[in-house]
Structures are given as C-alpha cells and as structure tokens.
C-alpha cells in the first residue's frame, strides 16, 4: 500500500483511516463470515461403481455435506464427479471413510476460508468505482446493484427503463431492466435472468456486464446496434434477491430463497425447482432442509411467481429465455426433466454449437452443450423447461466458469475474461434469433 514507505508516525496516522476505508469498501466482507469456513475442505470424489455411489450418498446424508456439484444427493451416481464442501469438524470423518473404502478423491481446497479471502482482490484495487465510473470487475452487493440500476434508469433513459415485477419473500423489490431502443414498431424480446441461485455470484456480475457492454458499444458495434434496435432485452440481474443478500451477510454458500416453512426450521426453496413443469419429480427434493427443495407447491416462491407471471403476460413477444448459473462450463437447453429431444432440436442445437464455438474463440475455454438432462443431470421444475413449455422457443441455461478449481469462489480477476467470452456467446445466440432458423 502507498503508505508503506512513509515514516512511522505518518503510517500510524494513516492506519485507522485505512481500516475505516476497508470497512466501507467491504460491506459484505468486513468479517468475512466470521471465519466460519476456516479449515473447511472442498473435495472432489468420483465413485467408480454403483456400490461406491451408494456408500457416498449415505455418508453425505450422515455428515450433512454442502454439495456443490451436483446439487442434490439423488444425482450422485457412478462415474460422475461430485464436489462437496465439508465442514472442518466433519472432514476427518469423511477422509477416513474415503481411505477405508478406497473411493477415488482429490482435495480441491484445503482451507475454504483462505480461498474465500484470497478471491476478492486487494482492498486498494477494490474500489467501488474504476477510473471510468463503475467497476464491473468486482462482485457487487445487492444494494450496490440496485443503486446501479437506478442510476442507469436516470442517465440512460433512451435505452433503459427500470421497473419492478413484484416483491420478494422478505419484501425487496424485484427489479428488471428493459433494454433496447424504444420504437413504436412491434419488437421481439429476450429475457435474461441471473442469480436464481444465491451463491453463484458470477451470474449477477455477467448481467451487469451485459448491460454495460450494450450501452458502451451501441454506437460503435453494428451487431449490438442491430440487437438493441430490433429487440428488447428484459434483464433481471438478481432473481433471488433475498438469497443473494444472505450470501453476502451470512452464508457465502447459500443457494435457495429465504422463505420460512411452517413445520421445519430450515429455510428456503430452490428457485430452480419451483416451476410448474413436472414439479417436484426427479432431481428435486420434497424435504425443506435440502438444497434442491421444490417448495410446498409450484410457484410458492414470490420471486418465481413474479417472473412466471411476467413471462406468461409477455410470452407472445419473448423469443428467448436465458438463465445464468455457475459452475460447470456448459450451455444447456431443454429438456431438463426428461431424456428426450425437443421438437426443432436442430435449430436449438446449432445455435448452441455456434455459441459455444464463439465463446471458445476468445480464450480457448471449452463448454459442453446439449440437453440439460443428459449433459448435466435430470432436474424437474426448472425455469428453462417451464419457459420452453410455455411457448418460448429458444430457452438456454448457461453454467459459467469454472469446472471446480474455484467453484463458486471464482476470483474477481476472472470476472472480465468470463464475461467477455460469455458476451460473444449471448450475442451469437441473439443474432441467430434474428434470422429464420433453417
Ligand atoms: C459439526 O458441526 C455441525 C454444525 O455445527 C454439527 O451439526 C455437527 O454435528 C458437527 N459434527 C461433529 C462430528 O461434531
Ligand atoms: C425509471 O425512470 C422512469 C422515467 O424517469 C420512471 O418513471 C420510473 O419510475 C423509474 N423506475 C424506477 C424503478 O425507479
Ligand atoms: C457465431 O459463431 C459462429 C461460430 O464461431 C461464427 O461463425 C459466426 O460468425 C457467429 N455469428 C455472429 C453473428 O456472431
Ligand atoms: C418449430 O419451427 C417451426 C418453423 O420455424 C415453427 O413453426 C414451430 O412453431 C416450431 N416448434 C416449436 C415447438 O418450437
Ligand atoms: Zn444455479
């Protein structure tokens, strides 16, 4: 830091100021979750046989691990990778079990707290505003994101209109940005949401990046101009506002909403299992304490209901639904709830193929693509399947970087490359929409 070379007396005077600054700059990070993740581990396991998979499911239940990938115990199966976050007090038991059973494993993170603290950049770099205004290369709290939206609504009223589609369980506004050149003519639209799952912070960062790029390149980039002239984009930077806020203040690895349950102490519903499409079937849990809890009934979550209502109302115009998640590096399309190909498969497939190639052309990052069920895992009640079933022909879910090295703790340094490459994929899909599918 700047004051390191200064005489001692001056340094002492600077120090309290600096600490004060740090506190302001790190609203969510000020206590770094009270060091609750110290010595927690993240372990990657690959069961080779059905027996090993069965044994793993049992031990996961006993130890109450935090599953990172896949997201539910029912999706653990032979030959597939599982990444688990195991609290420090239970990690010894898990490791002993793994050695005993000879199940193949690799420790991805020895000390989760240390990774978490390293991931956010140095406080001196972590200014809220970069030289040219807003800093898009840091993760922003919900309050910051909402202030940013209000600011854009005031300063870019020609291209942006901000509105609310309802309130969250805890009473927060569910804000959406309508982006595009306003014209009288009928315009088709693309819906984009980020942050259905609270801990996947790269999602909201991408939504912000998308809006920034649109505003910055509207005049200079013919593709972007065409997109904004011919389409509207409805962008919801943070879908699960309560959960996202909670992941900043209390639990970095919170996934669900924050709704209460009458019979259990556990809170929250998986907002990507709560949609009325094969609701609460395979890949979803009926238990309120599980991370993939489907909720008491479809659209029980006010956030899901608000978005579903909006999409129902505007489905005639909305041609594409894009949802941003992490992590896996995949571009997924329906179906998620069953192994089957959709009608018009080849149109969607070729859009995905081109998008993934465009993404890869930037830094060589490889994405897998395909129907969600066979590419990732089967999950029922997802927003993507619901949007598709409700008449939106192009529906995709992105699983952004990485493939497990940092997992949900993707460092801020990687926001820019991740968003830059993803931008190309989204533009490619969008331009595909503007053409007639062959
Ligand atoms: C570890 O901590 C969790 C949460 O505090 C607790 O539920 C669990 O019983 C503990 N496990 C052991 C082996 O002490
Ligand atoms: C966005 O700006 C418009 C026009 O100035 C205003 O009517 C609207 O209330 C603003 N949206 C929000 C959510 O404040
Ligand atoms: C989409 O990606 C493909 C494959 O990389 C490329 O050939 C095509 O030019 C891209 N189209 C647009 C509009 O970016
Ligand atoms: C398939 O494509 C055709 C022609 O573009 C279109 O009329 C039809 O509605 C599409 N079907 C579905 C299920 O998207
Ligand atoms: Zn997700």
């Amino acid at each position: 830091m700047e004051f390191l070379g200064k005489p001692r007396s001056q340094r002492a005077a600077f120090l309290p100021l600096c600490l004060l600054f740090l506190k302001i700059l790190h609203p969510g990070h000020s206590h770094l979750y009270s060091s609750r993740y110290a010595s927690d581990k993240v372990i990657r396991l690959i069961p080779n046989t059905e027996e090993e998979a069965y044994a793993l499911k049992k031990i996961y239940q006993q130890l109450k691990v935090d599953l990172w990938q896949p997201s539910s115990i029912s999706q653990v199966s032979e030959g597939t990778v599982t990444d688990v976050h195991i609290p420090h007090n239970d990690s010894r038991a898990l490791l002993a079990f793994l050695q005993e059973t000879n199940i193949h494993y690799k420790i991805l993170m020895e000390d989760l707290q240390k990774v978490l603290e390293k991931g956010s950049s140095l406080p001196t770099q972590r200014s809220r505003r970069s030289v040219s205004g807003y800093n898009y290369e840091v993760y922003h709290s919900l309050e910051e994101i909402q202030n940013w939206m209000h600011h854009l609504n005031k300063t870019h009223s020609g291209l942006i209109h901000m509105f609310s589609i309802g309130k969250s369980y805890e009473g927060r506004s569910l804000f959406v940005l309508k982006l595009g050149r306003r014209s009288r003519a009928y315009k088709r639209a693309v819906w984009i949401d980020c942050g259905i799952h609270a801990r996947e912070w790269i999602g909201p960062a991408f939504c912000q990046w998308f809006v920034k790029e649109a505003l910055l390149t509207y005049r200079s980039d013919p593709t972007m101009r065409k997109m904004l002239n011919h389409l509207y984009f409805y962008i919801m930077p943070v879908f699960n506002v309560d959960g996202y806020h909670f992941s900043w203040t209390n639990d970095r690895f919170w996934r669900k909403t924050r709704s209460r349950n009458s019979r259990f102490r556990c809170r929250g519903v998986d907002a990507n299992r709560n949609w009325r499409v094969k609701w609460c079937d395979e890949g979803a849990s009926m238990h309120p304490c599980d991370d993939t809890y489907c909720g008491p009934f479809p659209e029980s979550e006010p956030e899901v209901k608000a978005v579903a209502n909006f999409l129902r109302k505007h489905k005639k115009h909305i041609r594409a639904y894009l949802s941003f998640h992490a992590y896996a590096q995949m571009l997924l399309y329906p179906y998620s709830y069953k192994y089957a190909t959709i009608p018009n498969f080849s149109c969607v497939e070729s859009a995905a193929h081109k998008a993934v190639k465009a993404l890869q052309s930037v830094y060589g990052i490889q994405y897998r693509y395909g129907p969600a069920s066979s590419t990732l895992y089967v999950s029922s009640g997802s927003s993507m399947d619901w949007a598709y079933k409700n008449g939106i022909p192009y529906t995709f879910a992105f699983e952004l970087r990485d493939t497990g090295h940092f997992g949900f703790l993707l460092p801020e340094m990687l926001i820019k490359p991740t968003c830059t490459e993803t931008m190309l994929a989204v533009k490619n899909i969008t331009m595909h929409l503007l053409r007639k599918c062959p």
Side-chain angles (χ1 to χ4, degrees):
M1 280 192 244
E2 273 173 30
F3 55 80
L4 276 182
K6 298 224 165 76
R8 207 160 223 276
S9 56
Q10 269 194 43
R11 229 188 298 171
F14 264 90
L15 201 57
L17 232 167
C18 172
L19 286 179
L20 187 75
F21 212 52
L22 231 164
K23 248 191 133 81
I24 295 166
L25 293 180
H26 279 242
H29 286 166
S30 56
H31 306 288
L32 286 163
Y33 308 95
S34 316
S35 298
R36 66 185 283 179
Y37 306 109
S39 305
D40 286 14
K41 293 190 191 326
V42 177
I43 304 178
R44 169 163 292 183
L45 305 113
I46 307 171
N48 277 320
T49 62
E50 226 173 280
E51 289 73 33
E52 286 186 357
Y54 181 75
L56 275 185
K57 286 184 193 198
K58 276 190 77 171
I59 193 93
Y60 287 171
Q61 256 151 358
Q62 277 168 22
L63 297 179
K64 292 235 177 292
V65 300
D66 166 24
L67 270 172
W68 280 19
Q69 200 70 267
S71 42
S72 116
I73 288 180
S74 69
Q75 289 153 342
V76 171
S77 67
E78 69 205 83
T80 59
V81 166
T82 74
D83 295 345
V84 298
H85 159 210
I86 180 94
H88 60 99
N89 64 345
D90 279 338
S91 63
R92 194 178 291 193
L94 180 64
L95 289 173
F97 168 85
L98 293 174
Q99 265 142 21
E100 200 179 293
T101 52
N102 258 326
I103 294 176
H104 194 78
Y105 75 92
K106 184 180 161 201
I107 297 184
L108 295 179
M109 300 181 202
E110 280 284 355
D111 186 334
L112 190 52
Q113 186 74 29
K114 288 205 180 118
V115 179
L116 200 148
E117 283 167 17
K118 238 194 277 169
S120 53
S121 20
L122 295 169
T124 43
Q125 294 165 358
R126 218 194 122 77
S127 60
R128 302 282 91 196
R129 281 166 186 284
S130 70
V131 183
S132 58
Y134 198 80
N135 188 353
Y136 291 88
E137 294 182 44
V138 297
Y139 294 116
H140 288 281
S141 68
L142 181 68
E143 194 190 351
E144 287 166 355
I145 293 174
Q146 292 186 341
N147 288 342
W148 167 83
M149 292 170 85
H150 281 293
H151 179 73
L152 293 185
N153 189 47
K154 283 204 196 91
T155 54
H156 291 78
S157 56
L159 281 174
I160 281 184
H161 178 74
M162 174 194 187
F163 59 97
S164 166
I165 55 167
K167 291 252 195 274
S168 72
Y169 181 81
E170 291 178 342
R172 296 186 175 87
S173 290
L174 301 170
F175 288 123
V176 172
L177 294 176
K178 183 179 184 180
L179 174 69
R181 194 173 69 98
R182 239 171 290 159
S183 58
R184 258 164 222 265
Y186 168 88
K187 277 173 78 168
R188 288 167 293 175
V190 175
W191 170 276
I192 295 179
D193 63 49
C194 297
I196 284 188
H197 292 135
R199 61 194 179 181
E200 300 163 8
W201 284 10
I202 186 63
F206 175 73
C207 264
Q208 292 195 283
W209 191 277
F210 182 88
V211 174
K212 171 202 77 146
E213 281 295 304
L215 297 176
L216 221 61
T217 64
Y218 175 64
R219 275 168 215 294
S220 57
D221 175 11
T223 305
M224 185 58 82
R225 190 160 56 247
K226 199 166 176 187
M227 282 164 58
L228 298 188
N229 285 348
H230 292 277
L231 297 164
Y232 281 124
F233 290 85
Y234 293 108
I235 298 167
M236 189 176 193
V238 188
F239 183 114
N240 175 9
V241 284
D242 298 346
Y244 187 72
H245 179 73
F246 192 72
S247 76
W248 274 74
T249 54
N250 288 65
D251 181 355
R252 176 65 185 83
F253 303 105
W254 188 258
R255 168 181 168 95
K256 300 187 283 182
T257 62
R258 292 293 299 156
S259 56
R260 282 179 197 278
N261 187 282
S262 54
R263 291 187 301 124
F264 290 84
R265 291 175 70 90
C266 297
R267 289 176 71 156
V269 165
D270 186 337
N272 206 28
R273 299 289 184 281
N274 191 231
W275 300 69
R276 195 186 299 276
V277 50
K278 204 74 190 226
W279 174 77
C280 214
D281 207 294
E282 201 178 332
S285 168
M286 283 165 63
H287 199 287
C289 293
D290 287 343
D291 251 355
T292 50
Y293 176 44
C294 56
F297 51 88
E299 295 179 24
S300 61
E301 302 312 283
E303 301 82 4
V304 172
K305 193 172 184 66
V307 174
N309 280 342
F310 184 85
L311 294 176
R312 271 189 285 264
K313 199 169 156 194
H314 297 272
K315 69 180 175 193
K316 275 210 188 107
H317 304 267
I318 298 178
R319 300 289 297 156
Y321 170 92
L322 307 180
S323 194
F324 287 85
H325 292 258
Y327 61 96
Q329 291 179 196
M330 289 178 185
L331 177 51
L332 307 167
Y333 47 82
Y335 297 103
S336 201
Y337 75 89
K338 64 176 177 186
Y339 296 107
T341 46
I342 49 174
N344 289 3
F345 171 81
S346 62
C347 282
V348 172
E349 204 256 4
S350 80
H353 173 75
K354 286 186 186 136
V356 161
K357 271 184 78 176
L359 185 150
Q360 190 183 349
S361 72
V362 192
Y363 302 105
I365 295 293
Q366 298 197 357
Y367 267 52
R368 290 168 60 198
Y369 67 94
S373 52
S374 52
T375 311
L376 187 59
Y377 41 63
V378 173
S379 64
S380 52
S382 72
S383 65
M384 178 183 74
D385 278 354
W386 184 88
Y388 183 75
K389 286 264 178 182
N390 276 269
I392 300 177
Y394 287 89
T395 69
F396 293 96
F398 279 80
E399 292 280 350
L400 299 178
R401 290 200 201 183
D402 57 13
T403 54
H405 186 73
F406 294 108
F408 301 120
L409 297 180
L410 193 72
E412 293 180 325
M413 236 178 59
L414 296 179
I415 292 176
K416 183 179 178 181
T418 302
C419 292
T420 302
E421 68 194 10
T422 307
M423 203 61 211
L424 278 199
V426 174
K427 284 169 79 172
N428 203 288
I429 286 181
T430 307
M431 291 309 278
H432 195 96
L433 299 180
L434 288 175
R435 274 184 241 109
K436 275 233 154 64
C437 182

